[in-house]
């Protein structure tokens, strides 16, 4: 089951409204994007261009930048802390996004199918109302090795205590799951909005055909949710790569370097060591990684298209 | 045919026709399992909040010695008193607080103004752009959209200092406008998200309106926006919360009470100097107090959307 | 944009005269207002000191009716972030509390004014402060960049109840010693204070080091580069020093075997069961929490923590001196904060008057009477000692170290941020047990290369 069964008659894309003929909306479009474009250029692109320029300089923030060519990039290639940060960040993203997407999808479907309660929907969003820093602090407290209620619970179950924030094996999964906690309701809400946009008569038709809930999920929900799911994935992956607050508050990169994610390393170089040129080069590397990942995702999920029209 | 506006009605998934609630049948095992899952997820979601409340009602000096009990340690309202600035400085310090003066209601008003300003402008401008990217045909559309997508990836470290300098040169340091400025025009997320839903609005609805003589601008305001009220509301709420919770940028721009927002003021409850712990009770009380208006807003907003379903004529 | 090149001057030359003027007004950063008075901004991070310093400022304004001072306080991490941004945009405060690990970076970039070049501060004599404190703030160029305001040293905080349960008295904690070979009498006390779940003490045969309930010594994490409250006193009392000279060293001594032995001894407590492992406490270990919860009986910590420990609920905390080391006496790190004047200020003379006042006996006595930290002037230190004594707290273990000059300085060198980024993970690794202290010799080469 797919778009073909959408009762809205399929139409050739180029067949624009008969009355208007085939029009070019360029002037109108420019007007519509003007405010956003101002924001884009002034607050994102100008800093981006400047940042890329700074990656070819040695700049300590407080005195003039000096052009050094590719020196920062050469240093980066040979910097084991950088490569470790890339590895740690990737592991983080995989765990964070993997778990978050599954849980959020589950939550969204449950919300859609089980209850129209607004209270329920609000409760699910509550973790997002708490800042990253506070969320991290709360879990640092709950999961403290000795004093945390979480570890005392595990201990009483006979599982034994776990060094969630203090052992190399646990630290990244723990931080990833703390952020799943904070973002799962948010993500679920986005997916929920997508679920709502799926025409209900598709489900009705499927019911008439005797399709089970599970079958409806895979034949209607998943394919029709694809554009929103793709969008949510792209945005959360980009966000996930930029994890910073949670790590800075809980482990500050430790034990040793096992949670030293890219953004933390970048931030530390820029504001801890006044090594902004190098931090800029690291940021460019992160940007390139993000670009590659996003283009791949965009292709795979075809997030740019809709099956509804 | 349906629209996102009707979409908040969950009964649509079932053959039962609205408005009566679905008939009561013995719940199938799948439903019980589903509810069980939901309850587990809710417990995971809410337990930390219980712990925050428990900590907020405890006294800092007793926290370390009482870690197992689910009840507050040496229960008192000191944490909340500090949040509302009701405690004398000396007492606040004695209880492990920072002793910094707090004009809570003023910060709350600042925060509301700031978050409202950001949300109104950002969502409106983003919706306009999203319309251009989804419904209008123009050369370079996909390319320009790609540029917007890239802006999502620009690291904060690049934008922080230049934006700060710009705001300073515009004379907006220590003003609410200075805090709002960088996020007033758009976020790539809002554009991306709304574009996705605008694309779902059936073409013939738009065409029909245009046959009736409506221009594109009118179509945008009277058709597209109302038909996507659900997603627009969703984006608005998320934008509002994000603005409400933003910390680093307001911290940079704000210097006095003129522009101090809640998050910055509540920074006083985190670690004040290395090695001293945070004011746990105050921090948790502050977090709960700051989150409450958001929760109420969400509840109110969500009702609105649902009640508006009846009026949207498109079905 | 010019901003990327010389941000601080961008606005001034940007032809945005009006906007810039507005901005300066908006920040209230040292701008003359309608009447002839001058507004100054003063920043500090320690909220505990807000009250006494507000009193100081009130007294200052009374003496100087033409100057108004606005105090702002930000948490430690935010403070440096906002200060950096302030330097970039020209919105830095006129006067701010400065830290030894940060000021070299600022001096190098001409962001601070030389106090000797300003009338009010030049009149202050460095000898008026506790011995050596003012020297810490003299840059490599000979300029004076910070007016001392307080100092800190390290001593032992212990749980009085646990001490007596162990059959020890406060007198037993006097004149302890340690050495890297057998740990001396200090290790005996630590062992005695350690208790496992069966109630066996660390110095008993049946003691199980893997099942400890109360550690003899609380952990402060690995201590990082400076090991200020964790390990600096151990290596320091072997005669080891961070750098080749007291201040502005050109070479670090992380390759010294005395440092390695000291670290091996202290972190060896983990295997013996006397000290919590990294897994239990993490890199940002909170010793106050460990004492407060009864997980640890004793810790070494700084004088700025006196109130935090003595206010713990249900735990009576006493203070004792550090143990003597192989040199025959204890050695504590000796550190202090100071007030600096931003080069950005529009009113250097007024700022200097403020700084001189903050360092004056009047203000230092106010700070001393508040009993939060130990002020930089000896007479004011005495006032603080008295104020603490009135609350039943004997702080002589902290002040004796200075009188007897059993101190070493916090490492003041260039590149401290970069050095710290390299050293802290390595120190963590040593604490965890995954790295030999001897390997610090390799890191020392890289650290010294940074200073060349």
């Amino acid at each position: 089951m797919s778009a073909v069964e959408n009762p809205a008659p399929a139409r050739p894309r180029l067949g624009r409204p008969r009355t208007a003929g085939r029009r070019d909306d360029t002037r109108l479009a420019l007007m519509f994007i003007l405010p956003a474009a101002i924001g884009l250029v002034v607050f994102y692109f100008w800093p981006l261009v400047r940042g890329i320029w700074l990656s070819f300089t040695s700049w300590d923030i407080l005195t003039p930048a000096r052009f050094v060519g590719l020196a920062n990039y050469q240093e980066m290639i040979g910097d084991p802390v950088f490569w470790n940060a890339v590895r740690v960040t990737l592991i983080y993203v995989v765990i964070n996004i993997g778990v978050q997407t599954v849980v959020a999808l589950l939550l969204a479907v449950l919300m859609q199918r089980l209850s129209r309660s607004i209270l329920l929907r609000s409760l699910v969003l509550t973790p997002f109302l708490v800042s990253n820093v506070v969320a991290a602090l709360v879990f640092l407290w709950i999961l403290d090795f000795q004093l945390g209620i979480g570890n005392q619970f595990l201990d009483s179950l006979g599982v034994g205590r776990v060094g969630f924030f203090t052992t190399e094996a646990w630290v990244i999964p723990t931080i990833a799951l703390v952020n799943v906690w904070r973002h799962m309701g948010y993500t679920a809400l986005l997916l929920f909005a997508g679920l709502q946009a799926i025409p209900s008569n598709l489900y009705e038709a499927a019911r008439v055909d005797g399709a089970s809930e599970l079958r409806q999920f895979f034949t209607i929900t998943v394919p029709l949710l694809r554009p929103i799911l793709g969008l949510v994935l792209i945005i959360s992956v980009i966000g996930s790569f930029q994890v910073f607050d949670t790590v800075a508050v809980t482990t500050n990169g430790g034990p040793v370097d096992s949670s030293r994610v890219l953004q933390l390393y970048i931030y530390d170089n820029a504001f801890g060591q006044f090594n902004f040129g190098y931090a800029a080069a690291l940021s460019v590397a992160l940007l390139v990684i993000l670009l590659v990942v996003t283009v791949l995702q965009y292709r795979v999920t075809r997030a740019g298209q809709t099956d509804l029209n | 045919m349906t629209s996102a506006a009707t979409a908040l009605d969950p009964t649509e998934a079932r053959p039962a026709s609205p408005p009566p609630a679905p008939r009561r049948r013995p719940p199938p095992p799948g439903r019980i399992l589903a509810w069980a899952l939901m309850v587990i997820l809710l417990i995971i979601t809410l337990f930390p909040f219980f712990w925050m409340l428990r900590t907020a009602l405890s006294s800092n000096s007793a926290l370390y010695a009482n870690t197992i009990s689910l009840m507050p340690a040496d229960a008192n309202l000191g944490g909340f008193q500090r949040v509302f600035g009701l405690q004398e400085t000396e007492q606040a310090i004695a209880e492990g607080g920072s002793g910094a003066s707090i004009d809570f209601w003023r910060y709350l008003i600042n925060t509301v103004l700031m978050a409202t300003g950001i949300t109104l402008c950002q969502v409106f401008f983003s919706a306009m752009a999203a319309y251009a990217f989804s419904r209008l045909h123009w050369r370079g559309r996909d390319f320009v959209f790609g540029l917007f997508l890239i802006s999502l990836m620009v690291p904060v470290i690049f934008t922080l200092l230049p934006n700060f300098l710009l705001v300073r040169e515009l004379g907006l340091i220590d003003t609410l406008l200075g805090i709002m400025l960088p996020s007033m025009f758009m976020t790539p997320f809002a554009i991306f998200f709304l574009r996705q839903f605008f694309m779902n609005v059936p073409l013939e609805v738009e065409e029909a309106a245009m046959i009736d003589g409506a221009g594109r601008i009118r179509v945008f305001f009277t058709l597209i926006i109302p038909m996507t009220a659900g997603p627009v509301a969703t984006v608005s709420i998320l934008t509002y919360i994000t603005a409400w919770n933003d910390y680093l940028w307001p911290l940079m721009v704000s210097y006095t009470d003129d522009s101090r927002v809640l998050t910055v003021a509540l920074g006083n409850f985190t670690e004040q100097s290395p090695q001293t712990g945070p004011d746990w009770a105050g921090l948790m009380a502050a977090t709960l107090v700051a989150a409450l208006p958001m929760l109420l807003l969400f509840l109110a907003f969500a009702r609105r959307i649902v009640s508006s379903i009846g009026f949207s004529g498109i079905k | 944009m010019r901003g990327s090149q010389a941000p601080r001057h961008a606005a001034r030359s940007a032809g945005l005269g009006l906007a810039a003027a507005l901005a300066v007004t908006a920040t209230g950063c040292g701008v003359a207002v309608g009447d002839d008075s001058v507004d100054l901004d003063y920043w500090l991070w320690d909220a505990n000191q807000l009250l006494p310093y507000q009193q100081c400022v009130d007294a200052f304004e009374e003496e100087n009716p033409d100057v108004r001072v606005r105090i702002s306080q930000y948490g430690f991490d935010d403070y440096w972030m906002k200060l950096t941004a302030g330097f970039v945009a020209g919105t830095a405060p006129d006067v701010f509390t400065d830290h030894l690990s940060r000021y070299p970076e600022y001096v190098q970039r001409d962001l601070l004014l030389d106090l000797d070049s300003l009338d009010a501060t030049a009149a202050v004599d460095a000898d008026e402060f506790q011995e050596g404190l003012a020297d810490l703030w003299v840059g490599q160029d000979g300029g004076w960049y910070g007016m001392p305001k307080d100092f800190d040293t390290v001593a032992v905080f212990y749980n009085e109840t646990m001490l007596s349960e162990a059959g020890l008295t406060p007198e037993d904690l006097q004149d302890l010693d340690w050495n890297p070979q057998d740990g001396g009498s200090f290790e005996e006390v630590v062992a005695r204070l350690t208790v496992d779940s069966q109630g066996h003490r660390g110095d008993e045969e049946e003691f199980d080091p893997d099942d400890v309930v109360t550690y003899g010594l609380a952990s402060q994490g690995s201590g990082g580069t400076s090991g200020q409250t964790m390990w600096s006193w151990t290596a320091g009392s072997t005669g080891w020093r961070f750098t080749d000279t007291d201040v502005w060293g050109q070479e670090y001594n992380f390759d010294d075997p005395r440092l390695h032995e000291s670290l091996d001894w202290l972190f060896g407590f983990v295997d013996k069961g006397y000290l919590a492992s990294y897994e239990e406490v993490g890199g940002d270990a909170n010793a106050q929490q460990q004492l407060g919860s009864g997980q640890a009986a004793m810790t070494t910590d700084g004088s700025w923590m006196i109130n935090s420990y003595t206010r713990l609920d249900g735990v009576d905390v006493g203070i004792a001196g550090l143990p003597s080391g192989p040199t025959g006496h204890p050695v504590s790190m000796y550190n202090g904060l100071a007030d600096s004047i931003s080069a950005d200020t529009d009113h250097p003379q007024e700022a200097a008057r403020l700084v001189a006042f903050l360092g004056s006996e009047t203000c230092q006595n106010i700070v001393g009477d508040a009993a939060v930290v130990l002020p930089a002037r000896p007479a004011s230190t005495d006032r603080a000692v008295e104020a603490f004594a009135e609350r039943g707290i004997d702080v002589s273990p902290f002040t004796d170290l200075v009188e007897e000059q059993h101190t070493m300085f916090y490492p003041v060198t260039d590149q401290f941020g970069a050095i710290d980024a390299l050293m802290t993970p390595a120190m963590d690794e040593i604490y965890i047990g995954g790295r030999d202290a001897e390997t610090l010799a390799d890191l020392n080469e890289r650290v010294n290369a940074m200073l060349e």
Side-chain angles (χ1 to χ4, degrees):
Chain A
M1 213 174 293
S2 75
V4 189
E5 287 180 46
N6 188 333
R11 65 186 50 256
R13 286 225 152 229
L14 290 178
R16 301 300 304 152
R18 282 154 297 259
T19 44
R22 193 177 162 179
R23 45 189 292 177
D24 176 30
D25 303 316
T26 305
R27 285 181 60 188
L28 195 65
L30 284 180
M31 195 196 84
F32 266 89
I33 68 162
L34 185 66
I38 291 174
L40 178 78
V41 172
V42 175
F43 296 106
Y44 293 89
F45 268 47
W46 158 243
L48 177 64
V49 170
R50 182 179 164 278
I52 293 175
W53 150 249
L54 286 171
S55 74
F56 298 104
T57 68
S58 166
W59 188 48
D60 67 4
I61 304 187
L62 302 166
T63 51
R66 192 164 41 85
F67 183 76
V68 293
L70 290 171
N72 287 323
Y73 290 94
Q74 281 163 349
E75 186 186 342
M76 187 168 79
I77 301 287
D79 179 359
V81 186
F82 163 70
W83 291 109
N84 176 63
V86 171
R87 189 183 61 87
V88 168
T89 309
L90 281 174
I91 297 172
Y92 168 84
V93 170
V94 168
I95 298 174
N96 177 246
I97 295 299
V99 177
Q100 178 171 301
T101 308
V102 170
V103 175
L105 192 58
L106 185 69
L107 211 48
V109 172
L110 287 174
M111 283 198 290
Q112 194 200 18
R113 287 311 173 95
L114 286 180
S115 164
R116 61 194 311 177
S117 160
I118 294 160
L119 182 69
L120 188 70
R121 235 170 281 163
S122 309
L123 289 181
V124 164
L125 193 64
T126 43
F128 190 64
L129 304 180
V130 173
S131 72
N132 267 330
V133 169
V134 173
L137 283 172
V138 169
F139 277 96
L140 193 62
W141 188 223
I142 288 178
L143 299 178
D144 184 275
F145 191 88
Q146 289 291 350
L147 304 178
I149 187 88
N151 254 324
Q152 293 182 346
F153 180 67
L154 289 178
D155 201 28
S156 68
L157 286 184
V159 180
R161 294 170 188 265
V162 177
F164 287 105
F165 288 107
T166 52
T167 45
E168 293 198 19
W170 274 101
V171 65
I172 280 295
T174 304
I175 293 169
L177 292 178
V178 168
N179 282 332
V180 167
W181 177 80
R182 180 162 184 265
H183 289 103
M184 66 186 181
Y186 169 92
T187 313
L189 205 71
L190 297 182
L191 295 177
F192 182 73
L195 288 178
Q196 306 290 46
I198 299 174
S200 58
N201 42 18
L202 294 188
Y203 289 101
E204 282 163 32
R207 287 225 147 207
V208 172
D209 293 347
S212 69
E213 284 268 339
L214 208 61
R215 198 178 139 76
Q216 287 176 49
F217 177 77
F218 283 107
T219 55
I220 304 176
T221 309
V222 172
L224 289 183
L225 191 61
R226 181 188 48 72
I228 295 295
L229 191 59
L231 156 94
V232 167
L233 268 177
I234 288 173
I235 289 179
S236 22
V237 166
I238 293 175
S240 187
F241 265 100
Q242 313 209 21
V243 60
F244 170 70
D245 297 6
T246 322
V247 187
V249 171
T250 54
T251 65
N252 208 15
V256 194
D257 283 327
S258 56
S259 63
R260 199 165 307 281
V261 292
L262 261 175
Q263 281 285 27
L264 189 72
Y265 191 49
I266 291 171
Y267 185 91
D268 190 48
N269 266 289
F271 293 104
Q273 307 177 37
F274 299 105
N275 226 341
F276 203 96
Y278 189 56
L282 293 169
S283 301
V284 171
L286 174 60
L287 193 70
V288 170
I289 295 173
L290 280 174
L291 274 176
V292 171
V293 170
T294 304
V295 167
L296 281 179
Q297 276 183 287
Y298 207 80
R299 289 268 161 80
V300 170
T301 61
R302 292 182 298 130
Q305 297 146 34
T306 174
D307 290 338
L308 283 177
N309 251 334
Chain B
M1 203 180 306
T2 186
S3 79
T6 61
L8 280 179
D9 183 351
T11 55
E12 77 206 353
R14 260 171 260 122
S17 57
R23 272 161 283 139
R24 292 261 167 218
R25 260 181 272 145
R31 255 185 109 69
I32 295 175
L33 185 73
W35 268 113
L37 259 176
M38 190 79 201
V39 168
I40 292 173
L41 286 173
L42 273 181
I43 291 175
I44 294 173
T45 301
L46 296 179
F47 178 77
F49 285 92
F50 168 73
W51 208 241
M52 285 183 216
L53 186 65
R54 185 254 185 203
T55 309
L57 293 170
S58 300
S59 85
N60 279 318
S61 52
L63 268 180
Y64 300 142
N66 302 275
T67 53
I68 310 173
S69 158
L70 291 179
M71 298 307 289
D74 189 11
N76 71 80
L77 291 174
F80 286 96
Q81 283 169 346
R82 286 196 289 287
V83 171
F84 291 105
L86 296 175
Q87 221 170 35
E88 291 296 316
T89 311
E90 278 158 37
Q91 191 190 354
I93 290 173
E95 289 186 12
S98 81
S101 71
I102 290 194
D103 190 352
F104 180 84
W105 300 107
R106 177 159 190 186
Y107 306 145
L108 183 71
I109 291 169
N110 281 345
T111 312
V112 168
L113 289 175
M114 181 268 295
T116 308
I118 288 178
T119 307
L120 286 179
C121 296
Q122 188 197 97
V123 173
F124 181 66
F125 291 147
S126 297
M128 280 172 60
Y131 182 69
F133 286 124
S134 59
R135 313 298 297 195
L136 300 178
H137 287 252
W138 44 291
R139 206 183 303 167
R141 187 176 81 164
D142 290 346
F143 174 73
V144 177
F145 181 67
L147 293 183
F148 274 88
L149 192 55
I150 288 176
S151 68
L152 204 57
M153 305 167 205
V154 178
V156 182
I157 204 135
F158 278 179
T159 56
L160 201 64
L161 289 176
N163 289 354
F164 186 62
L165 279 168
L166 180 69
V167 164
R168 186 233 193 275
E169 284 179 24
L170 294 173
L172 295 175
I173 293 286
D174 203 27
T175 62
L176 287 175
L177 186 59
I179 297 178
M180 297 192 297
L181 200 64
S183 42
M184 276 172 85
F185 294 95
M186 61 117 194
T187 56
F189 163 72
I191 294 178
F192 201 163
F193 187 76
L194 290 174
R195 169 179 173 271
Q196 212 68 265
F197 285 93
F198 290 175
M199 286 196 302
N200 284 353
V201 174
L203 286 173
E204 58 268 31
V205 176
E206 201 173 353
E207 281 164 19
M210 291 181 69
I211 291 170
D212 291 345
R216 287 285 193 177
I217 297 175
R218 221 180 112 195
V219 166
F220 172 68
F221 281 105
T222 59
L223 261 178
I224 302 288
I225 296 277
M227 286 184 70
T228 53
V232 170
T234 305
V235 161
S236 302
I237 287 174
L238 297 180
T239 304
Y240 204 91
I241 296 173
T242 307
W244 188 279
N245 274 337
D246 196 12
Y247 179 68
L248 191 58
W249 177 249
L251 172 75
M252 302 263 288
V253 176
S254 167
Y255 278 74
T256 67
D257 279 0
D258 290 346
S259 67
R260 189 150 300 163
V261 293
L262 274 179
T263 46
V264 176
L266 302 183
N268 278 330
F269 294 96
T270 56
E271 253 170 21
Q272 295 305 298
S273 54
Q275 294 178 29
T276 55
D279 170 8
W280 284 110
L283 181 67
M284 294 306 147
T287 301
L288 293 172
V289 168
L292 194 64
M294 295 288 86
L295 195 62
L296 295 178
L297 180 93
F298 187 73
L299 280 167
F301 233 97
R303 287 239 150 90
R304 261 280 168 76
I305 300 161
V306 171
S307 65
S308 74
I309 292 168
F311 298 103
S312 66
I314 318 138
K315 172 82 192 180
Chain C
M1 187 168 78
R2 277 149 293 192
S4 63
Q5 300 292 319
R8 287 191 297 126
H9 309 296
R12 288 171 200 164
S13 58
L16 289 164
L18 183 65
L22 277 172
V24 175
T25 315
T27 62
C29 194
V31 163
V33 276
D35 47 15
D36 285 337
S37 75
V38 163
D39 281 353
L40 294 178
D41 264 314
Y42 175 54
W43 286 8
L44 50 82
W45 67 78
D46 188 350
N48 288 319
Q49 299 180 39
L50 200 52
L51 212 58
Y53 277 101
Q54 184 63 56
Q55 288 169 6
C56 283
V57 161
D58 292 344
F60 172 76
E61 286 177 338
E62 211 157 288
E63 277 184 26
N64 298 270
D66 58 329
V67 184
R68 281 191 301 220
V69 182
R70 187 175 62 200
I71 299 188
S72 303
Q73 177 262 327
Y74 301 96
F76 195 73
D77 292 336
D78 295 347
Y79 185 89
W80 301 106
M81 178 76 208
K82 202 167 159 79
L83 193 64
T84 301
F87 279 132
V88 172
T91 56
D94 305 271
V95 179
F96 63 96
T97 306
D98 211 343
H99 195 277
L100 282 175
S101 65
R102 304 278 176 154
Y103 97 94
E105 306 268 8
Y106 298 146
V107 171
Q108 211 176 25
R109 293 166 180 84
D110 296 328
L111 296 170
L112 305 180
L113 291 184
D114 180 355
L115 300 185
D116 278 332
S117 71
L118 299 163
D119 300 342
T121 40
V124 179
D125 189 353
D127 294 340
E128 296 169 28
F129 299 100
Q130 292 279 10
E131 174 113 18
L133 268 192
D135 301 340
L136 285 167
W137 298 91
V138 174
Q140 280 167 302
D141 57 359
W144 184 26
Y145 295 103
M147 178 73 69
K149 56 198 297 169
D150 56 33
F151 73 89
D152 55 71
T153 52
V154 176
V156 172
F157 292 89
Y158 61 90
N159 181 325
E160 290 177 346
T161 319
M162 288 182 176
L163 191 75
S164 62
E165 279 170 4
L168 297 169
T169 64
E171 286 70 43
D172 293 328
L173 296 186
Q174 307 297 320
D175 308 317
L176 293 177
D177 60 67
W178 82 276
N179 63 68
Q181 286 76 42
D182 64 12
S185 56
F186 180 74
E187 181 165 341
E188 284 169 24
V189 169
V190 171
R192 184 81 200 139
L193 287 169
T194 304
V195 186
D196 71 13
S197 66
Q198 302 303 310
H200 300 303
R201 296 194 169 269
D203 55 1
E204 292 167 8
E205 194 78 0
E206 305 90 336
F207 173 72
D208 176 5
D210 295 324
D211 192 18
V212 174
V213 177
T214 300
Y215 293 101
L217 194 63
S219 172
Q220 310 253 11
S222 74
T225 313
S226 76
Q228 186 168 11
T229 56
M230 186 67 190
W231 55 258
S232 67
W233 62 270
T234 63
S237 61
T238 64
W240 177 83
R241 291 295 178 270
F242 281 96
T243 51
D244 49 356
T245 54
D246 274 355
V247 190
W248 297 110
Q250 292 299 310
E251 271 180 35
Y252 272 88
N253 297 324
F254 292 125
D255 56 350
D256 191 319
R258 286 177 296 181
L259 170 68
H260 307 157
E261 290 174 348
S262 304
L263 293 174
D264 282 341
W265 170 71
L266 186 66
F267 291 124
F269 278 8
V270 173
D271 284 338
K272 295 175 184 165
Y274 304 160
L275 175 75
S277 65
Y278 185 98
E279 183 181 9
E280 290 176 64
V281 293
D284 195 20
N286 184 333
Q288 184 199 352
Q289 177 178 311
Q290 295 164 56
L291 248 67
S293 62
Q295 270 178 71
M298 185 164 77
T299 186
T300 50
D301 215 333
S303 50
W304 64 92
M305 294 292 287
I306 295 171
N307 287 331
S308 304
Y309 281 106
T310 51
R311 281 191 186 125
L312 279 173
D313 224 27
V315 181
D316 293 323
V317 174
I319 304 173
L322 288 171
S324 302
T327 51
H329 60 79
V331 170
S332 158
M333 193 180 276
Y334 182 39
N335 179 33
L337 304 181
D339 289 313
S340 295
I341 301 178
S342 156
D344 258 345
T345 181
D346 293 324
H347 303 284
Q349 296 301 343
E350 286 83 357
R353 264 150 67 191
L354 174 63
V355 167
F357 187 84
L358 294 175
S360 72
E361 198 148 329
T362 316
C363 173
Q364 299 257 302
N365 282 349
I366 293 174
V367 176
D369 291 344
V372 277
V373 288
L374 302 170
R377 284 178 179 271
S380 311
T381 307
D382 294 343
R383 301 265 291 238
V385 170
E386 261 173 58
F388 276 115
E390 273 169 37
R391 296 194 351 229
I393 305 165
D394 175 13
V395 296
S396 59
F398 294 103
T399 51
D400 287 351
L401 291 160
V402 178
E403 269 163 40
E404 287 156 28
Q405 300 195 14
H406 292 158
T407 57
M408 66 173 174
F409 284 147
Y410 193 94
V412 179
T413 64
D414 283 332
Q415 300 286 336
F416 192 77
I419 292 167
D420 196 43
L422 188 65
M423 291 299 296
T424 300
M427 286 295 181
D428 281 357
E429 219 172 341
I430 292 172
Y431 182 15
I432 292 168
R435 183 186 191 112
D436 278 337
E438 284 72 25
T439 61
L440 289 179
D442 307 336
L443 287 183
N444 198 52
E445 282 173 29
R446 290 170 64 189
V447 166
N448 287 337
M450 286 182 202
L451 288 176
E452 273 163 17

